[in-house]
Amino acid sequence: MNKKELWTRVLSGVIIGPIVVFSYLTYPTLLGLVTTIVMLASFELIELFTSDVKNDFIKLLLTFIVGTSSLIYGFSLEAEYRGILPFESEGIFFLAFVASVFSIMLLVKEITHTKRFIESSALSIIYVSFFLSNFYLIHLNYGAGMAILALTTVWAYDAGAYFFGLSFGKHKLSPHFSPKKSWEGLLGGIFFAFAYILIFDSIGIFFGSIQKITLLQTLIFALMVGFFDTIGDLTESIIKRYYNVKDSGEILPGHGGMLDRIDGLLIVTPMWYFLLRILWI
């Protein structure tokens, strides 16, 4: 990445970052933000699988179904927590899958195209919509502060991994799937994440916005972010390499596509909520 690309990336992050963080302060704005991100990322994923298929209507319809699954899931969780929903909220994603497959069978006649549309929409529902929608669970159970901490810790890890990898990276982490990643970048990112959580926790406790996180829990979360963010990044790298593309899209200046920006977050978010539950925070 040259200096111009780096500055473009930093500038877009400075502009977009605060908007994203402020959207996490209330549950309704979080619903809107996550649904929008899910739609953009799922469209990119579906397009990767079906770039040679000239059927924009079914692509947009599937994108709408995937995005709507996240939105309805968010509303359903609220209803479930109030005791007025007669089923588990996660059933929404099953219904979204059925709606996607039914739409594909109606609108796509070529069997090879049908297969790829089913694969990409099913992956979008689970990998993009359900995984990212775990932010709703974090927000509802632990508050806006914890949801913001989960989000921004991934940013801190990515920044640390990038700069440590750029400066000291010599030992390749995954030469087959992501040649630029290094063990030095991984360790630097974990250090950044650990330091960031400590700082955020101190400030959050002062303002009463999050629960106290112990030093051991901080280390566990930092290690988790390092491992699962890397898994998320490599997962998307494998998909992009298979389809021979550099970026999933071009919507974010300096960052590529939306899927490029949230690949690690997709895997970290469910695990963050899982750790909150098993660590009794």
Side-chain angles (χ1 to χ4, degrees):
M1 182 181 293
N2 57 42
K3 288 186 177 181
K4 182 179 179 180
E5 290 175 330
L6 177 60
W7 279 110
T8 301
R9 184 170 187 167
V10 171
L11 183 60
S12 63
V14 169
I15 295 172
I16 298 171
I19 298 173
V20 172
V21 170
F22 279 119
S23 297
Y24 274 65
L25 293 177
T26 69
Y27 193 69
T29 53
L30 176 64
L31 283 177
L33 176 70
V34 171
T35 299
T36 301
I37 293 174
V38 166
M39 284 189 172
L40 293 171
S42 61
F43 179 80
E44 291 174 353
L45 187 59
I46 293 167
E47 181 64 26
L48 277 176
F49 277 67
T50 61
S51 59
D52 61 320
V53 182
K54 306 303 180 183
N55 191 337
D56 291 337
F57 179 75
I58 187 62
K59 293 178 184 180
L60 292 173
L61 178 59
L62 293 175
T63 298
F64 176 77
I65 292 172
V66 175
T68 303
S69 72
S70 176
L71 183 64
I72 297 176
Y73 176 63
F75 285 124
S76 298
L77 279 174
E78 276 196 306
E80 183 181 342
Y81 284 12
R82 294 174 182 174
I84 57 176
L85 192 71
F87 57 88
E88 298 291 333
S89 299
E90 286 71 22
I92 297 299
F93 298 106
F94 163 72
L95 296 176
F97 174 76
V98 173
S100 297
V101 173
F102 181 70
S103 300
I104 293 166
M105 289 190 296
L106 283 179
L107 299 171
V108 182
K109 302 307 179 184
E110 173 60 49
I111 190 65
T112 57
H113 295 171
T114 303
K115 173 181 176 290
R116 283 187 282 154
F117 275 119
I118 291 176
E119 289 172 343
S120 58
S121 59
L123 188 59
S124 295
I125 290 168
I126 301 301
Y127 171 58
V128 180
S129 184
F130 177 58
F131 284 5
L132 198 65
S133 294
N134 274 260
F135 270 120
Y136 304 151
L137 293 166
I138 297 173
H139 197 288
L140 287 170
N141 289 282
Y142 297 94
M146 185 60 74
I148 292 172
L149 176 60
L151 169 74
T152 52
T153 300
V154 172
W155 292 354
Y157 169 81
D158 287 340
Y162 174 77
F163 287 110
F164 267 75
L166 192 65
S167 302
F168 309 108
K170 294 182 180 179
H171 300 88
K172 300 299 182 182
L173 178 64
S174 180
H176 297 295
F177 301 136
S178 188
K180 293 183 179 180
K181 286 199 172 298
S182 67
W183 285 102
E184 291 83 359
L186 172 67
L187 295 175
I190 291 173
F191 172 76
F192 262 54
F194 179 79
Y196 178 80
I197 295 172
L198 285 178
I199 295 170
F200 191 101
D201 183 54
S202 299
I203 298 173
I205 291 296
F206 179 76
F207 287 103
S209 59
I210 65 171
Q211 300 84 344
K212 176 63 180 174
I213 303 175
T214 68
L215 199 62
L216 177 60
Q217 290 169 341
T218 299
L219 178 60
I220 293 173
F221 272 100
L223 291 170
M224 179 277 290
V225 169
F227 180 76
F228 282 86
D229 186 283
T230 302
I231 294 296
D233 191 288
L234 292 177
T235 299
E236 199 218 0
S237 292
I238 291 169
I239 295 173
K240 290 192 296 184
R241 280 183 169 274
Y242 181 83
Y243 289 104
N244 196 29
V245 296
K246 180 178 181 292
D247 297 317
S248 65
E250 300 177 346
I251 193 170
L252 298 173
H255 294 276
M258 182 59 72
L259 196 59
D260 296 317
R261 183 62 270 174
I262 66 168
D263 52 5
L265 199 63
L266 291 175
I267 308 300
V268 169
T269 306
M271 192 60 197
W272 190 287
Y273 177 69
F274 184 66
L275 276 184
L276 287 172
R277 302 298 288 182
I278 65 175
L279 294 176
W280 297 90
I281 295 177

